[in-house]
Amino acid sequence: MKKMQENAVDEADIASMKKDINNALGADYYDRMRTLDDRFIELRLGTPEQNDYKLMENAIAKLKAEIRDSNDLEYTDDDYEEVTKEFYEELLDEEAGINLRGRAVIDFVINWLKGILEGFEVGDESEEE
């Protein structure tokens, strides 16, 4: 009986964590736009255009769906790389050539997720001490 209760608590914790991660991914749209602007300037790509912001939102929506459907919230560097490649293939039309702006947006979103997840890991460790 105790094992079932632990599983229910774990599932509730995971569901709560998924919700928190998705809320963090969706929060601060204008801050995220400014940060993307800075990243584009840093990469010498000019300033993001409307379709770059739209791609950012599409990538975030896709990430949120994947997190919602995922059973594992621990991402390794290989996982980040795999998701990045998957997003390149699914969200970018690169048949005409490599889309540097699109790749910069997707890399930005994946790094945004990485920062959010690292923030949650730090929070979890401090609660255990």
Side-chain angles (χ1 to χ4, degrees), residues 36-47 100-101 104:
L36 182 63
D37 292 352
D38 294 343
R39 183 70 181 136
F40 265 55
I41 291 167
E42 189 179 301
L43 293 172
R44 296 189 168 109
L45 294 173
T47 54
L100 294 177
R101 295 174 72 87

Side-chain angles (χ1 to χ4, degrees), residues 47-64:
T47 54
E49 298 170 0
Q50 196 59 41
N51 60 341
D52 297 319
Y53 296 123
K54 179 77 173 144
L55 175 60
M56 178 179 69
E57 288 308 300
N58 289 343
I60 288 171
K62 189 166 178 45
L63 264 183
K64 289 168 99 175

Side-chain angles (χ1 to χ4, degrees), residues 40-96:
F40 265 55
I41 291 167
E42 189 179 301
L43 293 172
R44 296 189 168 109
L45 294 173
T47 54
E49 298 170 0
Q50 196 59 41
N51 60 341
D52 297 319
Y53 296 123
K54 179 77 173 144
L55 175 60
M56 178 179 69
E57 288 308 300
N58 289 343
I60 288 171
K62 189 166 178 45
L63 264 183
K64 289 168 99 175
E66 287 196 10
I67 288 168
R68 203 172 29 250
D69 297 340
S70 175
N71 293 323
D72 183 14
L73 294 177
E74 292 185 30
Y75 283 74
T76 65
D77 286 339
D78 288 341
D79 293 330
Y80 288 117
E81 192 173 311
E82 187 177 316
V83 170
T84 301
K85 285 180 184 175
E86 177 185 319
F87 279 30
Y88 287 166
E89 290 172 11
E90 292 181 18
L91 297 174
L92 301 177
D93 176 19
E94 294 193 327
E95 290 178 19

